[in-house]
């Protein structure tokens, strides 16, 4: 059975998805600004404050927003005619969202945590890449996903073409 969301439910989930996605993008811009500040300032106090602020973002905001984006995107794709594997742009967004969520858990957060540990112990920022690369890569992915959400490029997947063919035949036979 292929259950579709009612119009009010679809609109609600769409609003949640757009807000969560925009929040993820905004948090990443904030992380990039803080990481740039930490990597370029000469002040140990500013480095520590920037790293601690990044940790707050990473620990309390990024993961809930990432999971909400992933979940709402899945609900939209599975509960609407777009489907998860019917259109290449939806499929691409799903895998990029999953990859960036995974990278947040296993790369960005540990990098920020190691930076905070180092600077709170009175040491220098261990590696500017720890606080810059995650936000740069994430921001690039989110901008790309936003663009393909608007443009909806590439057409149907093989599965999408297979699912569409019987519907077209039924229309031709009618």
């Amino acid at each position: 059975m292929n259950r579709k969301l009612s119009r009010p439910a679809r609109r609600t989930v769409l609003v949640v998805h757009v807000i969560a996605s925009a929040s993820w993008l905004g948090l990443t811009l904030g992380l990039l600004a803080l990481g740039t500040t930490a990597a370029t300032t000469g002040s140990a106090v500013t480095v520590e404050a920037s790293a601690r602020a990044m940790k707050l973002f990473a620990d309390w905001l990024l993961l809930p927003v990432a999971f909400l984006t992933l979940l709402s995107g899945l609900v939209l794709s599975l509960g609407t005619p777009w489907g998860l594997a019917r259109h290449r742009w939806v499929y691409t967004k799903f895998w990029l969202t999953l990859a960036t969520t995974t990278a947040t858990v296993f790369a960005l957060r540990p990098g920020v945590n190691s930076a905070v540990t180092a600077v709170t112990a009175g040491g220098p920022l261990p590696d500017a890449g720890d606080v810059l690369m995650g936000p740069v890569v994430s921001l690039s992915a989110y901008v790309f996903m936003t663009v393909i959400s608007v443009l909806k490029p590439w057409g149907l997947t093989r599965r999408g073409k297979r699912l569409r063919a019987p519907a077209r035949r039924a229309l031709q036979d009618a």
Side-chain angles (χ1 to χ4, degrees):
M1 183 163 87
N2 196 4
R3 296 193 36 104
K4 297 298 176 199
L5 295 170
S6 67
R7 186 171 190 226
R10 181 186 53 81
R11 292 175 119 192
T12 299
V13 175
L14 180 61
V15 167
V16 167
H17 183 68
V18 169
I19 290 170
S21 300
S23 297
W24 205 4
L25 180 67
L27 284 167
T28 302
L29 284 169
L31 283 172
L32 184 59
L34 290 166
T36 301
T37 300
T40 60
T41 188
S43 165
V45 172
T46 304
V47 170
E48 184 176 345
S50 296
R52 284 179 182 268
M54 288 183 78
K55 183 169 173 44
L56 284 173
F57 278 25
D59 286 349
W60 294 99
L61 298 172
L62 273 181
L63 287 181
V65 167
F67 287 123
L68 184 58
T69 301
L70 183 62
L71 179 65
S72 61
L74 271 172
V75 170
L76 279 172
S77 66
L78 297 173
T80 65
W82 289 109
L84 181 60
R86 291 181 185 172
H87 298 268
R88 287 187 181 106
W89 71 272
V90 175
Y91 203 56
T92 301
K93 274 187 62 177
F94 168 74
W95 286 108
L96 279 173
T97 302
L98 189 60
T100 52
T101 301
T102 302
T104 297
V105 171
F106 294 109
L108 190 142
R109 287 184 71 224
V112 168
N113 287 336
S114 69
V116 169
T117 301
V119 298
T120 55
L125 193 63
D127 180 9
D130 284 345
V131 294
L132 289 175
M133 286 312 294
V136 167
V137 170
S138 296
L139 184 61
S140 301
Y142 306 149
V143 168
F144 177 72
M145 286 187 275
T146 301
V147 169
I148 66 174
S149 293
V150 172
L151 299 180
K152 297 173 180 43
W154 309 314
L156 296 171
T157 62
R158 276 187 237 157
R159 181 177 191 277
K161 289 176 186 173
R162 263 195 335 266
L163 291 172
R164 186 170 278 178
R168 283 200 175 151
R169 268 188 248 117
L171 285 174
Q172 290 171 351
D173 293 342

